[in-house]
Structures are given as C-alpha cells and as structure tokens.
C-alpha cells in the first residue's frame, strides 16, 4: 500500500488512455521531411519495369523518374537518391559508363534537377558496382581483388561528373579506405565546395541486399566481404566514423537500418553531424511479403519499422516507402 492508500501508485497506463493522449506524449515523431526516396533509373526502356522482389518499386524511365520526383516533392519528402542501371553491353571492368557525362546516372541527375530544381535534395549513389562487368564496387587488380587506391581515382572522377550533372549530395557507398577525403578534394578541386558528402560510414556485408541486386541488374561475382563491414563488429564502425569525419563527411549513414539499430544508436550519440539510416531492399521485401501473405498488418508494420529507426537516432531515413509514408504522415 502507498501512503495514499492505493496500489499501484504509479499507473503509466494513464498516459495511454486515448489516441489524443498517446499523440501528446509521444517521444518520437516521424515527419515527411525525415524521408529520402531511393530510386532506380534504367537505360533503354520505354516503360517502368517492376522489380519482382520489391513489389511497388520499379526501374524507372527518365519520364517516370521525373514523375516520381515530383510526387516526392508534393508529399513533403526531403530527398531522392538515384541509382543508374546501364545497358549490360556498356559495362566493363573499370565501370567507364559511371564517369561518362552522358551515362544513365548523369542523364538522370540532370533530368531530376531540371524537373524539381532545389525543391528536392538530389543525391547520387557514388559507386562502381552498377557499372562494372564483375559487379564489384571498385576496379580489380591482377589477382582479382578490389584495388583500393586505384578505385579511389575512379571515385574522384565520379564525384566530379555527378556534381557537374547536378547532384546536391554524393553518397560514396563502396567502403574504400580514404574515399571521403579523396572525394572532398576532387569536388573542391573543381570549385564544387557546395556539394555535400553523405558517407556510408557503417555499411555491413548483409544478406538483406538480395532484392537490390535485381533492382540494379547486378553482375556481381563473389561477395563484398573484403570491403563491407563484418556484421559481428561494432567497434569497427566507430573507427570508420572517426575517419569519415576527419576526412570531411558532412553527413554519415548506417546501412542496413533494422538489423543494426544498435550501431545507429552508437553513431547518433557520438556525432554532431546529421545521421542517416538506409532501410534496405530486404527489409522492404520482408514486410511486403509477409503482408501479402496476410501475416502482418502492412501499414502498421511500415510505420513501426520507420519509427524504430527514427527512435534509434536517425534524422534521415532512406526508404522505398518514402513517398507513401510521407503522404500518410500528412
């Protein structure tokens, strides 16, 4: 018994009694501006192509990409991250089409900027994997291993052509040592100090990337375990974080999001720059598949997953549900 003669004295359920009460005391709030839409644009198609493992997601034509960008703006989404899917015949060992000013990704960047201007933060994936015939994120040495320093030279070129094409932000996703510093120098060297770098600081070698391989038409042979992080490691991500910040990263990211909320929380507690998390293709596919089977409530599961990412510390969330979720939040 308490001094007031009632038990229990503490009743947290009082603050859960009504929807209005729950809304008033909510500790974490999602907002459309938290969201960034990843989008794929494919060369030489006349209609959007559905991605079988990601229901509701498409490889866009330039026209449908423009429409998706406008819809994202209207929904209140903050940004769009573009991935290019070139013709298979244009891939080579060096990913040459990735630095071609007329390559599909650069063409898409110009198209989106022409359509929405500065109303959407236009971001560009800065990596070679979509453009190489071996599917790795860098160029290979004579023994078939990813050559870190040779790859950095290619990343410097990519940063410059993406900036010239209109990217507000470049997102180096290859996990090469020293990539942020090299890209910053390359951008500054052409007078593009205004272009920001979103560092893929902690990008783990994950089984959840599977559907993404279909989305970008990946030619990957082997795996990426020699450059993406080991899922077993946490301290390593903090070392990567320190290096990225030292080299000039403007924003940092954890990828995937859901399986690495502990890493996301550690990063968010440690920095004074914006923190992003990428809810990747496998996370999307699992919810969509389970919902299609009737095993979970789709809309609730989407919002719950996004809220968990926000609660762990992400200020920005890359998610394929960005436009849909933003509309629901409004």
């Amino acid at each position: 018994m308490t001094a007031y003669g009632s038990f229990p004295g503490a009743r947290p359920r009082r603050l859960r009694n009504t929807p209005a009460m729950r809304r008033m005391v909510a500790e974490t709030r999602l907002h459309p501006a938290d969201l960034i839409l990843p989008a794929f644009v494919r060369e030489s198609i006349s209609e959007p192509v559905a991605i079988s493992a990601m229901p509701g997601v498409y490889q866009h034509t330039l026209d449908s990409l423009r429409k998706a960008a406008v819809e994202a703006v209207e929904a209140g989404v903050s940004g769009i991250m573009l991935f290019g899917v070139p013709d298979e015949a244009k891939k080579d060992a060096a990913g040459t089409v990735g630095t071609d000013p007329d390559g599909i990704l650069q063409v898409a960047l110009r198209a989106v900027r022409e359509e929405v201007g500065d109303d959407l933060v236009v971001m560009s994936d800065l990596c070679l994997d979509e453009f190489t015939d071996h599917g790795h994120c860098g160029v290979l040495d004579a023994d078939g291993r990813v050559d870190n320093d040779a790859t950095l030279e290619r990343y410097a070129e990519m940063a410059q052509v993406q900036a010239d094409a209109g990217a507000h932000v470049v997102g180096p996703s290859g996990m090469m040592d020293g990539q942020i510093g090299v890209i910053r120098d390359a951008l500054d060297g052409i007078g593009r100090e205004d272009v920001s770098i979103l560092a893929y600081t902690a990008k783990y070698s994950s089984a959840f990337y599977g559907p993404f391989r279909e989305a970008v038409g990946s030619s990957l042979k082997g795996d990426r375990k020699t450059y993406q992080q080991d899922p077993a490691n946490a301290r390593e991500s903090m070392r990567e974080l320190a290096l990225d910040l030292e080299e000039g990263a403007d924003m940092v990211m954890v990828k995937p999001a859901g399986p690495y909320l502990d890493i996301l929380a550690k990063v968010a507690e440690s920095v004074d720059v914006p923190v992003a998390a990428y809810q990747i293709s496998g996370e999307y596919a699992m919810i969509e598949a389970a919902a299609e089977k009737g095993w979970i409530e789709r809309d609730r599961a989407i919002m719950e997953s996004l809220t968990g990412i926000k609660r762990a510390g992400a200020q920005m969330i890359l998610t394929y549900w960005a436009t849909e979720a933003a509309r629901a939040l409004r």
Side-chain angles (χ1 to χ4, degrees), residues 31-70:
H31 188 277
D34 299 333
L35 305 177
I36 297 166
L37 176 68
F40 307 101
V41 58
R42 178 174 166 182
E43 193 169 18
S44 302
I45 57 173
S46 57
E47 298 291 336
V49 176
I51 300 167
S52 63
M54 301 174 69
V57 181
Y58 297 85
Q59 293 173 327
H60 285 289
T61 65
L62 288 172
D63 286 343
S64 67
L65 178 65
R66 287 174 179 267
K67 182 173 183 288
V70 170

Side-chain angles (χ1 to χ4, degrees), residues 234-308:
R235 287 194 302 271
E236 182 181 42
S237 65
M238 303 310 291
R239 185 183 185 197
E240 293 279 4
L241 175 64
L243 291 168
D244 282 352
L245 292 174
E246 182 181 337
E247 293 173 25
D250 299 290
M251 300 170 277
V252 297
M253 183 158 68
V254 174
K255 181 181 181 181
Y260 297 94
L261 294 181
D262 60 326
I263 307 301
L264 175 58
K266 285 177 180 288
V267 169
E269 290 169 0
S270 303
V271 300
D272 56 3
V273 299
V275 176
Y278 196 146
Q279 186 181 53
I280 67 169
S281 58
E283 298 176 75
Y284 177 96
M286 288 191 300
I287 289 177
E288 289 288 353
E292 191 274 331
K293 290 285 190 180
W295 294 339
I296 60 174
E297 295 181 49
R298 177 185 180 274
D299 294 353
R300 285 186 60 195
I302 290 169
M303 288 304 185
E304 186 175 339
S305 68
L306 294 173
T307 300

